[in-house]
């Protein structure tokens, strides 16, 4: 555990932030070079179809969520890079991607800052947040664009102002992750971000311990495919990259988002892996320059989204229908075979084509892409 004011071991420097873009660019440039060897029909044939018809999935979303509403926009200059979001009654909690202290801002219904919760712990790259039933705000210090961190961390900002740091390690090498799911029983799940759409889900292998590093274990794999929804800073690749997540206040649903879409699953008990094994409802999100944050509203069904940049629109997708309940299942005992979010696998050809498309977009506009 770090003492108050102590810097996390991997604390960023300006140099490291600049370098953090290089691995992603390198992977994408490799995909560009491979582009001529990919099937031309795929590259010119538009968006690949899901295992279930995309139109049917959108009809399902339309039955569950009404037209997006924008109650307000964040304009406070202290919040230029919102990457985490939670809702506590009539108060919205947000956090920046970065900073030299753990800081959570409280917003009122007009998106004005009404309070600040902070602790003297310098995070490395906080990417998401979740609100526990006891009022503790959990911050996922899990960003790692350079894939160089030996450990990542969860920081628990308690109502009394204390902020213990829980170190975690992956069993199979560094990962970049921007989504945190906090199950109703308090178990945290970290969901990785991948430019090819292959996300992995990890949870601690044992109880969290602020005095030692706890290993993570992989419990699920998800493969996201192109949806055709516009938005985000990296073109079509943004449809594949998980940037945030949340569990509803009543524990009956969970959501993951990409730069462009939200995926909502019913949840039974606290079995997150079992929930993710089922088909989600895919909800197209309004176009956003860099949408990274998502939460359930106080009604536990409506979705609230926002992202980086000022002004940052806070958008609500009101729930107008009931999500089918999840079937009760036994807890998952480990990672299964990779499966798509809709139940279909992501083929190597599709992955390669997606990478080529993403590379072309990123190389053309890399100068305007900030650290995520």
């Amino acid at each position: 555990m770090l003492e108050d004011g102590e810097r996390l071991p991997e604390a960023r420097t300006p140099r490291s932030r600049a370098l953090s873009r290089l691995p992603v660019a390198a992977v994408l440039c490799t995909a560009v070079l491979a582009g001529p060897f990919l099937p031309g029909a795929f590259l010119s044939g538009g968006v690949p179809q899901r295992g279930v018809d995309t139109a049917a999935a959108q009809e399902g979303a339309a039955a569950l969520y009404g037209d997006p509403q924008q109650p307000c926009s964040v304009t406070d200059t202290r919040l230029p890079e919102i990457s985490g979001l939670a809702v506590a009654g009539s108060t919205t909690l947000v956090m920046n991607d970065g900073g030299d202290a753990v800081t959570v801002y409280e917003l009122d219904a007009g998106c004005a800052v009404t309070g600040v919760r902070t602790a003297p712990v310098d995070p490395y790259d906080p990417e998401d947040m979740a609100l526990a039933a006891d009022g503790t705000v959990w911050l996922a210090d899990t960003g790692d664009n350079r894939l160089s961190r030996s450990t990542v961390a969860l920081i628990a900002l308690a109502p009394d102002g204390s902020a213990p740091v829980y170190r975690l390690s992956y069993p199979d090498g560094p990962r970049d992750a921007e989504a945190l799911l906090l199950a109703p029983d308090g178990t945290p799940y970290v969901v990785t971000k991948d430019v090819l759409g292959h996300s992995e889900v990890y949870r601690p292998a044992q109880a969290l311990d602020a005095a030692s590093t706890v290993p993570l274990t992989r419990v699920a794999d998800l493969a996201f495919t192109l949806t055709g929804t516009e938005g985000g800073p990296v073109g079509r690749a943004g449809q594949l990259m998980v940037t945030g997540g949340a569990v509803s206040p009543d524990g009956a649903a969970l959501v993951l988002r990409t730069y462009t879409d939200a995926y909502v699953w019913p949840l039974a008990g606290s079995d997150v892996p079992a929930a993710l094994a089922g088909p989600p409802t895919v909800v197209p999100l309004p176009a956003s320059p860099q949408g990274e944050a998502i939460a359930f509203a106080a009604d536990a069904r409506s979705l609230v989204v926002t992202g980086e940049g000022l002004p940052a629109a806070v958008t609500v997708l009101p729930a107008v229908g009931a999500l089918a309940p999840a079937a009760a299942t036994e807890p998952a005992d480990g990672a299964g075979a990779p499966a798509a979010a809709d139940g279909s696998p992501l083929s190597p050809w599709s992955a390669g084509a997606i990478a080529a498309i993403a590379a072309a977009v990123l190389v053309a506009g890399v100068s305007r892409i900030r650290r995520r």
Side-chain angles (χ1 to χ4, degrees):
M1 176 177 175
L2 300 181
E3 299 296 332
D4 284 352
E6 187 176 350
R7 200 172 177 85
L8 288 187
E10 300 96 340
R12 285 183 180 268
T13 64
R15 170 74 171 166
S16 69
R17 291 181 180 177
L19 290 174
S20 66
R21 302 185 182 95
L22 295 179
V24 172
V27 170
L28 295 178
C29 288
T30 300
V32 169
L33 295 176
F37 303 100
L38 296 174
F42 182 93
L43 293 173
S44 61
V47 177
Q49 297 297 305
R50 295 175 175 275
V52 295
D53 184 77
T54 301
Q58 291 177 341
E59 288 175 4
L64 288 177
Y65 293 96
D67 293 334
Q69 303 171 1
Q70 186 182 319
C72 59
S73 293
V74 178
T75 58
D76 195 298
T77 56
R78 291 172 292 179
L79 288 165
E81 298 184 51
I82 298 175
S83 65
L85 173 70
V87 175
S90 61
T91 300
T92 299
L93 306 176
V94 294
M95 52 160 273
N96 278 313
D97 176 357
D100 56 8
V102 169
T103 307
V104 174
Y105 295 85
E106 301 175 353
L107 307 180
D108 63 14
C111 288
V113 175
T114 58
V116 179
R117 308 180 190 182
T118 188
V121 175
D122 184 0
Y124 176 75
D125 190 2
E127 292 289 357
D128 202 6
M129 63 186 290
L131 181 64
D134 66 357
T136 298
V137 180
W138 287 82
L139 286 79
D141 186 3
T142 55
D144 188 13
N145 285 330
R146 290 191 297 154
L147 302 180
S148 63
R149 300 178 66 175
S150 59
T151 64
V152 294
L154 296 176
I155 305 171
L157 180 58
D160 64 5
S162 62
V165 177
Y166 299 98
R167 312 296 306 179
L168 305 167
S169 63
Y170 292 101
D172 42 9
R175 297 289 192 273
D176 185 29
E178 295 193 7
L180 173 65
L181 300 172
L182 189 66
D185 65 359
T187 302
Y189 290 82
V190 175
V191 184
T192 65
K193 174 184 179 182
D194 183 73
V195 71
L196 298 182
H198 176 219
S199 287
E200 300 157 318
V201 184
Y202 293 85
R203 69 182 174 207
Q206 60 198 53
L208 296 177
D209 183 354
S212 63
T213 298
V214 170
L216 291 165
T217 183
R218 194 172 78 192
V219 296
D221 290 76
L222 296 168
F224 295 88
T225 54
L226 297 175
T227 62
T229 307
E230 298 296 328
V234 289
R236 287 188 175 185
Q239 300 166 24
L240 309 174
M241 301 163 73
V242 173
T243 62
V247 173
S248 64
D250 63 358
L254 65 85
V255 63
L256 293 172
R257 71 160 295 169
T258 63
Y259 283 117
T260 59
D261 300 272
Y263 295 76
V264 184
W265 286 266
L267 175 63
S270 291
D271 197 345
V272 169
L276 294 174
T281 296
V282 185
V283 186
L285 299 176
S288 172
Q290 193 164 324
E292 298 199 1
I294 191 166
F296 286 94
D299 65 7
R301 289 298 175 273
S302 300
L303 299 175
V304 184
V305 296
T306 190
E308 297 193 8
L310 291 176
V314 173
T315 303
V316 177
L317 284 82
V320 296
L323 187 68
T329 59
E330 294 297 322
D333 57 2
D342 59 11
S344 61
L346 182 68
S347 74
W349 289 110
S350 298
I354 290 163
I357 293 168
V361 173
L362 185 57
V363 170
V366 68
S367 62
R368 64 183 179 86
I369 298 175
R370 296 193 307 273
R371 176 176 58 88
R372 291 175 297 280

